[in-house]
Amino acid sequence: MLYIYPVNPALQSFVNIAGNYPALLNTVDTALLYGRMSPQTRTAIQAALLAQNSDYERVLTAIYLAVMSGEYLVQ
């Protein structure tokens, strides 16, 4: 069952580009990791995005995995 959640206005710009995985990853990388996302982290997040059913779920997954990465935690 697919649940539709109201989109947080702060995430709307991410949701608008969520169908384009490279653009979403670049935006998350710039916003949270200052452009320092490793290729391994990028590959892992992109693989997780493929399993999501909606743009909002892709955004939440990308942000969650980025902030759980060692690269974010070190900053």
Side-chain angles (χ1 to χ4, degrees):
M1 177 181 276
L2 178 63
Y3 293 99
I4 306 292
Y5 303 103
V7 175
N8 182 327
L11 300 178
Q12 188 61 53
S13 63
F14 292 98
V15 173
N16 291 341
I17 60 169
N20 181 346
Y21 297 160
L24 176 60
L25 287 170
N26 288 338
T27 303
V28 169
D29 182 18
T30 301
L32 300 175
L33 302 172
Y34 302 104
R36 296 182 180 168
M37 185 182 291
S38 70
Q40 295 84 4
T41 300
R42 184 176 294 273
T43 301
I45 293 174
Q46 186 165 350
L49 295 179
L50 296 172
Q52 305 310 312
N53 296 320
S54 73
D55 289 344
Y56 191 58
E57 289 176 4
R58 285 184 198 98
V59 168
L60 294 178
T61 299
I63 291 172
Y64 175 77
L65 292 175
V67 299
M68 294 306 294
S69 73
E71 296 150 358
Y72 181 82
L73 297 173
V74 169
Q75 300 208 11

